[in-house]
Amino acid sequence: ANTNTPKSDKSSVLQPSLPAELYLDPVVYQEELRNIWYRQWLYVGRTDQLPRPGDYILQTIGDQSIIVTRNEDGGIRAFHNSCRHRGSVLCQAPQGQFRQGRIICPYHRWGYSLNGELLSTPFLDLSNENKNLSLYPVRCQSWRGNIYLNLDTSDSVELGKTADPGFTVLNNWPLEQLKLGHSHQFELACNWKIFWENYLECYHCPGIHPELCKLVPLYKAALSTDRLDPDTELADTVASGIESWTTTGKAISSPFPDLSEAECSAGHTFMELYPNQYIVAHSDYIRQVSIIPLAADRTRISAEWLFSPEAMARADFDPTPAIAFSKQVLDEDAMVNELNQRGITALPHQQGYLTPQEGDLALFHQRYKAWMDILD
Ligand code: FES
Ligand code: FE
């Protein structure tokens, strides 16, 4: 990229943010697809969304459509949604089942196995052709019940490499056993980086999230983490007496059994998997949010609430306080995400500034520049 980013002046309280065109320009968006989204691991769904062989879900990123299915041996496989004959799309419904274990092209009805091998070609004998006409494979891996795919064929990035602070931070949560209790998808009229930037700071929290600030005193002080201010006496935990992120402050079920005392009393443990997902683990439930860009100024968000199957089986289980609370926070953030996008289109706006409370955005921008080959 030939985008010049503003130089930082270390003596200044305000550091430059990214140039406005990186949030607005459709050409930059295409470059981001190629340099980031077609190269990094992307969350697809939970393994229990594909219970039987032949069940599939489609994932779309940019102009790429990917089929993720379960084969006869129980393995999860992913393929480009493109026939090897003349390239027709193979399936259109966002999810479904391939009957009799065959992926049949709707155009001339070439048929493929759930491992992608070409098995049948009507009115045609290809037994003497020595071409590999299997479906184009896509790398696909599961981690603790989550399925991820990566369009890069080169093996260059291993799953979890962009996890911050790392997959191990969730070791004590029984993530693979949890069940999807609720999900919520919506589109935001903003660039995907605006969503991340807002997620990464709590400078906005006192004004935008009054309820959340009652739960977490650090956020009321406009800090997203105690790392940002060595002098703060506030810990990165919920207030005393608060058990979880719910409308009542009470947990919706007993804590996951293997959590340490500190993990329980912290009330929240975060893990980011750049560029596409973050996971927030509470003592009683997990919320995971994934992000897919749709255009320079449009982003699809998908939030999922995961609960323990034992808790869900109880007659008196009521997850509403957990779902309602985090939906409210998502809504509050959605509002400012869209305000932010609208404002940066102002003709004289070249770039904004980062305050010390927004230190984690600078780290995100460094990661972004490295992906995009933008020199500082
Ligand atoms: Fe699929 Fe012809 S394009 S069978
Ligand atoms: Fe927020």
Side-chain angles (χ1 to χ4, degrees), residues 52-56 96-104 112 114:
R52 299 160 303 172
D55 288 339
Y56 78 84
Q97 233 244 336
F98 298 119
R99 309 244 166 245
Q100 273 113 34
R102 286 283 184 283
I103 305 172
I104 306 283
Y112 302 86
L114 299 177

Side-chain angles (χ1 to χ4, degrees), residues 118-134:
L118 178 62
L119 294 181
S120 54
T121 54
F123 310 105
L124 191 67
D125 179 4
L126 291 184
S127 50
N128 291 326
E129 287 298 311
N130 59 354
K131 289 187 175 54
N132 177 3
L133 295 173
S134 297

